[in-house]
C-alpha cells in the first residue's frame, strides 16, 4: 500500500512540470508583425473597388436589363367607361312624315301631336323616335339632339343635297295617303324599302285647334310596334351589361375596397337602368335565347356552302350564278357590319351518319321522313369534309342535301320541315328536287340556279339569325338598320368592358409588363368610344358602327398583347429561386470582408 501511494504521488509533479513548460514555450512565440499602412490601404482599395463595380456598374446593368416597362394607362378613364359613367348612349331615330296632300300648317300640327303621342307611349328614354316633316325637314319637337336642331334650322335655303342626306339617315318614311273609300285607318309596310304607307279617309285630318287625333294615335301605335323588338333588344343589352358590371364588382376585392366597388357598381346601374325599361319575363327569355343562338361579333365571317348527295347525281350545280343572284346582294348590304368570304364544295356518295335511322315512308303525307331526334346527328362529321374554321374569321357551314331520288320528298317527321338551324355551326336544307341532265346533249345531271334558289333564300334567313337580326318588322332594310344599331351598342359595351378588364388586370398584377403598343391601343380605343357615343347621340348610326368596330378591334389588340402574358408566369418566388444560388456564394465573402474592414476602421478610430 505504501509503495502504491508513493508511486501515485510521484506522477503529480511530472504533470505540473509538463504544463509549465508548455506555458513557457507559448510565451516565447512571436506575434505577427503589424501590417504596414500601405498594405492596409491596398486591401481597403481592393474591397472598395469590388463594391464600386457592384454598385455603380453591376446594379444599373441589372436594373436596366431586368426592369419591367409599364406604360402609363388612363386607368380612371378606362374604369369610367367600364362602369358606364363616361357615356350615356342614346338612339334617336329620325322618322320622316311625308304628307303631300295635307296643308302645311295642318301637317305640322299632326306631326306635333303625333310626337306627343309617341313620347307618352315610350317607356325607354334611351331609344326615342323623332318626327320630321318632309317639306321643311325641320324637327317639330324641342327634345332632339343639338345637332339635329341646328341642321334643321339651317335647311331654310332648300339645300337639296342636305335634304337627301337626311332622308338617307332617316330610319323610316311615313307617307300619309288619302283614300276616299277608307273609313278606318290602314297601314302597309313596304317589304323592300323603309316606307310605311298610312291611309286615311276624308275628314280624318285633325284641326289645328285639336290636342289629340285618332290618326296621330294610330301612327304612334304603328311606329311603336315597328320598333318594339329593337327597343327590347337594346334594353336587354343594357341590362346584360349592367349585370356583368355588378357581378364583377361584387367579386372584386375584400374589406373596404369591396364596399367601394359595390357602391361604384350601384351608381353605374342607377345611371344605366334609369334610362331603360323593365323587360317582361317571357320577352327577356326570348331575347336571351335569340342572343345565345347568334354568333359573337367578328369583323369577318367565312361561309362554306356544301352540296352532299348519297348518289352520283347531281354531279354539277350552277352555284356561282345562284350566289350572285340570291346571296351576294345580301352580303353587300351587310358589308357595313362585317365582311364575308365564301367557298363551295360538292361531295358525291356522301352517306348519312351511322347513328341516323333510314328514312321512313309516311303514306298519309306521301313523303319520306326523318326523326327529329336524328337531326342532331344528321351531319356525318367523320366522312363529310366540313372544316370548323376556314379563313380568318368564324366559319358558318350551310349544307344542301339532295336525297336519293327514291326517297324524294324527304322531310322532318312531325314538323314536315325541310330545313333546320344548328346553333353556332350553320344550317341544313334538304333539296327535294328531281335531278335532270343539264342539257339534251349530255347526260350529266346538274342543278340549275333556280333549283338552288330555295336553299340560298333559307340560308339568307339563317345567316341573319346568326348575326342577331330581329324577326320584326318584316322589312329587310329595317332589319338591317336595326342590326346596325344593335351591333353598335353591343360593340360599345364590349369595348368598354374590355377597357375595364385591362385596367383591373394592370392594378392586380404589378409585375406584368405594359408595352407602349398597349398604351397606344388604349388611347385609340377611348378616342373611338367617344366618337361612337357622339355619333349615336347624333343619330349617325353607320358612323357609330364604324367607330365601334375600330374600338373593339383595338381593345382586343391591347388586352391580348403577347408580351404582357409572358411575365405572368415568372412570379417573385421564381426570381428568388434564380438569384439565391448566384448571390449566396458571391455576396457572403463581399459582405463579410466589408464588415471586417469597417470594424477595423472603427477600432482604429476609437484608439486615436
Amino acid at each position: 500500500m505504501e509503495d502504491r501511494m508513493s508511486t501515485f504521488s510521484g506522477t503529480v509533479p511530472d504533470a505540473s512540470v509538463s504544463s509549465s513548460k508548455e506555458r513557457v514555450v507559448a510565451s516565447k512565440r512571436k506575434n505577427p508583425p503589424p501590417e504596414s499602412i500601405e498594405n492596409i490601404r491596398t486591401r481597403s482599395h481592393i474591397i472598395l473597388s469590388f463594391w464600386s463595380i457592384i454598385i455603380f456598374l453591376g446594379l444599373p446593368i441589372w436594373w436596366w436589363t431586368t426592369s419591367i416597362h409599364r406604360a402609363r394607362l388612363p386607368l380612371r378613364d378606362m374604369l369610367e367607361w367600364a362602369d358606364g359613367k363616361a357615356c350615356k348612349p342614346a338612339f334617336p331615330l329620325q322618322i320622316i312624315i311625308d304628307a303631300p296632300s295635307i296643308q302645311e300648317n295642318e301637317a305640322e300640327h299632326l306631326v306635333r301631336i303625333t310626337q306627343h303621342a309617341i313620347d307618352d307611349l315610350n317607356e325607354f328614354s334611351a331609344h326615342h323616335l323623332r318626327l320630321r316633316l318632309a317639306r321643311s325637314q325641320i324637327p317639330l319637337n324641342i327634345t332632339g339632339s343639338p345637332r339635329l336642331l341646328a341642321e334643321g334650322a339651317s335647311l331654310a335655303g332648300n339645300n337639296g343635297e342636305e335634304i337627301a342626306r337626311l332622308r338617307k339617315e332617316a330610319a323610316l318614311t311615313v307617307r300619309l295617303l288619302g283614300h276616299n273609300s277608307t273609313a278606318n285607318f290602314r297601314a302597309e309596310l313596304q317589304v323592300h324599302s323603309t316606307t310605311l304607307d298610312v291611309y286615311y279617309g276624308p275628314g280624318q285630318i285633325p284641326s289645328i285647334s285639336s290636342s289629340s287625333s285618332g290618326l296621330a294615335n294610330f301612327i304612334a301605335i304603328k311606329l311603336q310596334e315597328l320598333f318594339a323588338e329593337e327597343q327590347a333588344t337594346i334594353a336587354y343589352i343594357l341590362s346584360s351589361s349592367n349585370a356583368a358590371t355588378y357581378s364583377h364588382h361584387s367579386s372584386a376585392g375584400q374589406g373596404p375596397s369591396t364596399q367601394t366597388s359595390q357602391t361604384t357598381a350601384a351608381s353605374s346601374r342607377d345611371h344605366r337602368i334609369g334610362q331603360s325599361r323593365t323587360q317582361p319575363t317571357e320577352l327577356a327569355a326570348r331575347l336571351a335565347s335569340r342572343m345565345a343562338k347568334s354568333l359573337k361579333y367578328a369583323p369577318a365571317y367565312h361561309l362554306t356552302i356544301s352540296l352532299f348527295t348519297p348518289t352520283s347525281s347531281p354531279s354539277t350545280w350552277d352555284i356561282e350564278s345562284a350566289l350572285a343572284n340570291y346571296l351576294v346582294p345580301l352580303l353587300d348590304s351587310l358589308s357595313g357590319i362585317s365582311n364575308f368570304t365564301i367557298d363551295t364544295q360538292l361531295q358525291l356518295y356522301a352517306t348519312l351518319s351511322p347513328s341516323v335511322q333510314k328514312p321512313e315512308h309516311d303514306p298519309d303525307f306521301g313523303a319520306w321522313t326523318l326523326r327529329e331526334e336524328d337531326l342532331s346527328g344528321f351531319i356525318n362529321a367523320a366522312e363529310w369534309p366540313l372544316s370548323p374554321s376556314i379563313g380568318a374569321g368564324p366559319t358558318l357551314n350551310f349544307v344542301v342535301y339532295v336525297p336519293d331520288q327514291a326517297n324524294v320528298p324527304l322531310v322532318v317527321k312531325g314538323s314536315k320541315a325541310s330545313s333546320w338551324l344548328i346553333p353556332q355551326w350553320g344550317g341544313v336544307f334538304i333539296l327535294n328536287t328531281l335531278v335532270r341532265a343539264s342539257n339534251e346533249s349530255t347526260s350529266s345531271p346538274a342543278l340549275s340556279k333556280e333549283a338552288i334558289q330555295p336553299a340560298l333564300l333559307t340560308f339568307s334567313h339563317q345567316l341573319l339569325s346568326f348575326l342577331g337580326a330581329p324577326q320584326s318588322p318584316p322589312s329587310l332594310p329595317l332589319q338591317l338598320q336595326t342590326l346596325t344599331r344593335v351591333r353598335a351598342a353591343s360593340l360599345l359595351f364590349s369595348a368598354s368592358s374590355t377597357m375595364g378588364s385591362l385596367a383591373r388586370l394592370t392594378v392586380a398584377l404589378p409585375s406584368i409588363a405594359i408595352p407602349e403598343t398597349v398604351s397606344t391601343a388604349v388611347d385609340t380605343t377611348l378616342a373611338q368610344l367617344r366618337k361612337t357615343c357622339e355619333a349615336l347621340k347624333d343619330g349617325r348610326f353607320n358612323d357609330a358602327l364604324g367607330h365601334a368596330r375600330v374600338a373593339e378591334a383595338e381593345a382586343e389588340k391591347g388586352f391580348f398583347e403577347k408580351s404582357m402574358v409572358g411575365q405572368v408566369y415568372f412570379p417573385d418566388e421564381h426570381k428568388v429561386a434564380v438569384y439565391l444560388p448566384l448571390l449566396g456564394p458571391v455576396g457572403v465573402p463581399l459582405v463579410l470582408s466589408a464588415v471586417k474592414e469597417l470594424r477595423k476602421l472603427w477600432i482604429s478610430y476609437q484608439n486615436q
Side-chain angles (χ1 to χ4, degrees):
M1 179 65 70
E2 292 179 356
D3 294 339
R4 291 178 182 176
M5 292 181 63
S6 62
T7 304
F8 176 77
S9 61
T11 60
V12 175
D14 294 339
S16 61
V17 171
S18 173
S19 61
S20 62
K21 289 181 179 180
E22 290 178 357
R23 288 196 296 268
V24 171
V25 173
S27 63
K28 291 182 179 181
R29 289 176 183 173
K30 294 182 179 180
N31 294 326
E35 289 185 295
S36 62
I37 298 176
E38 184 177 353
N39 291 337
I40 295 175
R41 289 179 178 177
T42 301
R43 185 177 66 249
S44 301
H45 289 164
I46 292 174
I47 296 175
L48 182 62
S49 63
F50 272 102
W51 279 102
S52 298
I53 293 175
I54 292 174
I55 295 174
F56 297 106
L57 184 62
L59 287 178
I61 293 177
W62 171 80
W63 182 265
W64 180 68
T65 54
T66 61
S67 61
I68 298 174
H69 177 69
R70 289 174 64 89
R72 187 179 297 274
L73 298 179
L75 299 179
R76 183 176 180 180
D77 294 342
M78 296 166 66
L79 291 175
E80 285 183 352
W81 276 100
D83 295 337
K85 298 178 180 179
C87 175
K88 185 179 180 181
F91 302 86
L93 274 61
Q94 303 177 34
I95 309 297
I96 293 180
I97 305 297
D98 190 3
S101 59
I102 303 177
Q103 296 294 328
E104 185 170 357
N105 56 350
E106 294 179 348
E108 291 177 356
H109 179 68
L110 176 61
V111 171
R112 188 177 295 108
I113 60 177
T114 304
Q115 182 68 67
H116 292 324
I118 291 176
D119 295 338
D120 293 338
L121 293 174
N122 189 20
E123 299 178 357
F124 185 30
S125 60
H127 186 283
H128 46 269
L129 308 179
R130 291 294 170 251
L131 305 184
R132 289 170 172 236
L133 190 59
R135 296 171 182 175
S136 61
Q137 291 292 307
I138 299 177
L140 300 178
N141 59 294
I142 60 174
T143 57
S145 66
R147 186 190 75 91
L148 297 182
L149 294 176
E151 287 184 349
S154 65
L155 290 177
N158 288 332
N159 190 337
E161 296 181 358
E162 189 72 8
I163 292 177
R165 183 183 66 82
L166 291 176
R167 281 182 175 272
K168 184 178 180 180
E169 290 183 358
L172 182 67
T173 299
V174 179
R175 293 190 303 184
L176 300 180
L177 304 175
H179 202 282
N180 294 329
S181 60
T182 302
N184 298 322
F185 305 116
R186 181 167 54 91
E188 293 181 1
L189 179 64
Q190 302 295 327
V191 179
H192 301 292
S193 67
T194 59
T195 303
L196 176 66
D197 294 333
V198 176
Y199 296 91
Y200 62 92
Q204 294 179 337
I205 300 299
S207 61
I208 298 177
S209 60
S210 61
S211 59
S212 63
S213 168
L215 179 58
N217 294 333
F218 177 79
I219 297 174
I221 293 174
K222 284 298 180 182
L223 292 178
Q224 197 69 21
E225 291 176 353
L226 286 178
F227 296 100
E229 187 171 354
E230 178 180 338
Q231 286 187 352
T233 303
I234 295 178
Y236 175 81
I237 294 174
L238 279 171
S239 61
S240 300
S241 176
N242 297 331
T245 302
Y246 175 70
S247 175
H248 180 86
H249 281 288
S250 298
S251 60
Q254 294 181 355
S257 61
T258 304
Q259 184 177 2
T260 304
S261 299
Q262 290 178 353
T263 303
T264 303
S267 62
S268 173
R269 293 197 314 275
D270 294 340
H271 178 76
R272 286 182 178 173
I273 296 177
Q275 60 176 328
S276 64
R277 62 179 182 179
T278 303
Q279 296 292 340
T281 305
E282 182 180 355
L283 179 59
R286 186 158 44 106
L287 289 175
S289 176
R290 195 188 80 191
M291 300 300 285
K293 292 179 181 179
S294 62
L295 293 175
K296 183 182 178 182
Y297 172 79
Y301 295 94
H302 184 78
L303 308 182
T304 297
I305 301 178
S306 308
L307 174 64
F308 293 99
T309 177
T311 62
S312 61
S313 62
S315 58
T316 60
W317 58 331
D318 192 7
I319 187 61
E320 293 184 2
S321 178
L323 290 174
N325 284 273
Y326 307 122
L327 188 60
V328 172
L330 175 63
L331 300 182
D332 291 339
S333 62
L334 292 171
S335 60
I337 301 174
S338 296
N339 298 322
F340 297 88
T341 56
I342 306 176
D343 75 81
T344 61
Q345 62 177 342
L346 188 149
Q347 181 75 23
L348 304 179
Y349 301 103
T351 58
L352 295 177
S353 175
S355 61
V356 178
Q357 291 189 1
K358 293 183 178 181
E360 300 176 354
H361 188 263
D362 187 352
D364 297 334
F365 189 69
W368 295 84
T369 60
L370 288 171
R371 299 187 310 166
E372 292 186 358
E373 52 268 26
D374 290 337
L375 298 184
S376 59
F378 183 84
I379 301 299
N380 190 352
E383 298 182 8
W384 294 4
L386 295 171
S387 176
S389 57
I390 300 177
T395 297
L396 287 174
N397 293 278
F398 295 107
V399 174
V400 180
Y401 182 78
V402 179
D404 190 347
Q405 299 297 295
N407 296 332
V408 173
L410 179 64
V411 295
V412 178
K413 187 176 182 179
S415 63
K416 309 304 180 184
S418 59
S419 63
W420 62 93
L421 185 144
I422 303 176
Q424 304 294 323
W425 187 85
V428 179
F429 185 88
I430 300 177
L431 185 58
N432 293 301
T433 182
L434 296 177
V435 181
R436 297 181 175 87
S438 57
N439 52 61
E440 296 179 356
S441 61
T442 179
S443 60
S444 175
L447 283 179
S448 63
K449 66 177 183 179
E450 290 79 10
I452 308 172
Q453 178 184 5
L456 294 184
L457 293 180
T458 301
F459 293 156
S460 299
H461 291 287
Q462 293 176 348
L463 176 61
L464 291 175
S465 177
F466 280 120
L467 296 179
Q471 301 297 324
S472 63
S475 171
L476 181 59
L478 287 180
Q479 291 180 5
L480 296 180
Q481 287 186 4
T482 298
L483 183 59
T484 298
R485 291 185 283 269
V486 169
R487 283 300 191 189
S490 61
L491 291 178
L492 173 67
F493 297 134
S494 176
S496 300
S497 177
T498 303
M499 288 292 97
S501 299
L502 180 58
R504 288 184 285 269
L505 179 67
T506 302
V507 176
L509 298 176
S511 62
I512 193 172
I514 303 177
E516 293 296 334
T517 54
V518 175
S519 178
T520 302
V522 169
D523 293 339
T524 303
T525 300
L526 295 181
Q528 293 297 323
L529 287 177
R530 296 187 191 98
K531 293 180 180 180
T532 301
C533 189
E534 294 174 359
L536 287 177
K537 293 179 179 179
D538 292 340
R540 296 179 288 110
F541 301 112
N542 290 327
D543 295 340
L545 178 59
H547 295 310
R549 291 178 63 178
V550 177
E552 173 70 6
E554 290 295 325
E556 296 290 320
K557 176 182 176 182
F559 188 81
F560 293 103
E561 174 65 32
K562 294 185 292 185
S563 60
M564 293 175 58
V565 181
Q567 295 294 333
V568 178
Y569 301 100
F570 295 96
D572 295 336
E573 293 80 2
H574 177 83
K575 297 177 183 177
V576 172
V578 171
Y579 286 129
L580 274 183
L582 175 65
L583 297 180
V586 175
V588 170
L590 289 174
V591 172
L592 293 179
S593 61
V595 171
K596 185 177 181 181
E597 190 66 22
L598 292 175
R599 185 178 180 182
K600 289 182 178 180
L601 291 176
W602 176 253
I603 293 174
S604 63
Y605 174 77
Q606 287 182 338
N607 294 334
Q608 290 178 357

